Amino acid sequence: MTSRPLLHLVPSRGYSPDFLTPAEGTTDPDAAVDMILSTSPARLRSDMALLGAERKLPSWATALASGVPAARRGLGRALRHYHRQALHPYWTQISASVNAERALRAKAFLAGGTDRLLSGLHPAVRWRAPVLEIAYPRDGDLYLQGRGLRLVPSYFCREQPITLRDGSLAPVLVYPVSQGVGVLRPHNVAERAGALDRLLGRTRAATLLAIAEGENATGGETARRLGISPASVSEHTTVLRDAGLIQSLRVRNTMRHTLTPLGAELLGRTAPPPVGSLTDVRPPVKAPARMA
């Protein structure tokens, strides 16, 4: 199975199976695919039945709905192939936009709590406590009943927020990122290295890269790797640490260095979510979230 059959599962308009949006969430693509493939047979049958009611499905989709193991494995290969070909080359830009959105929402929450967070979420969303109203293609009411509402900023959700069809699942609201969306450009290692040199200086940039490649590297190991003196490494690591790009830990008589989340983002590597990022916002218990 290539990526093309996924178009049957995720059409440009209309229903897409809820199981493709796992409630747990993860930033690791392989872990996300594993979550999707662990969907219960009952959930698969239910979601695929809803999809089949709207459009004719190919034979492999019918096999998937029936729980055929080979069909599940084929779906996993298709999802991984799609990520590798269509998303991975642009992952740095996508991640930066999503992380910026999460930081923005965290700042709003810290400044004004749930009211500030939800009132500025998106033009199609209106927060009139305790009800969250969303301009949506279909009418309906979703009552949280104390379960909380998970907010998921999405680079590819461009027009209006969307949610899951099945109200019995953990409530999720996927909404468009509000900034940083533009033309996607493939990650170019040479261009990034050149830009890093111009920003930090060649030797300091090389020091940061060496620390990234040799996680928990000592100053001596970094010096040998770069062919410079330990004193020079100490000078550069002090500047990098003061800038919040690395953190250092003394172990006996050696200093070990590792990237901070900020340093990882600068290099376009996987980094933990920003401190205070919001992935699970809980409005008052039993407050309904209405879609109108």
Side-chain angles (χ1 to χ4, degrees), residues 7 21 29 41 56 93 100 147 154 161 181 190 208 225 239 247 261 279:
L7 295 175
T21 307
K56 184 177 180 180
Q93 184 177 340
R147 292 177 295 172
S154 171
V181 177
L208 182 63
R225 186 174 214 172
V239 174
Q247 55 190 359
T279 55

Side-chain angles (χ1 to χ4, degrees), residues 67-155:
V68 176
R72 285 196 187 228
R73 292 193 295 271
L75 175 61
R77 287 193 297 271
L79 290 169
R80 290 188 170 95
H81 179 268
Y82 181 81
H83 181 272
R84 199 163 48 245
Q85 297 297 318
L87 298 180
H88 179 70
Y90 313 100
W91 202 244
T92 297
Q93 184 177 340
I94 294 169
S95 297
S97 294
V98 172
N99 284 340
E101 174 67 24
R102 294 164 77 177
L104 181 66
R105 297 306 162 199
K107 183 177 180 180
F109 181 77
L110 292 173
T114 302
D115 287 338
R116 176 74 67 86
L117 171 69
L118 296 180
S119 62
L121 194 62
H122 187 270
V125 174
R126 178 180 297 177
W127 170 242
R128 294 196 289 193
V131 177
L132 186 67
E133 297 180 346
I134 305 168
Y136 212 72
R138 58 186 176 84
D139 293 337
D141 291 339
L142 173 63
Y143 293 90
L144 298 182
Q145 298 178 323
R147 292 177 295 172
L149 176 64
R150 183 175 291 266
L151 302 177
V152 181
S154 171
Y155 191 95

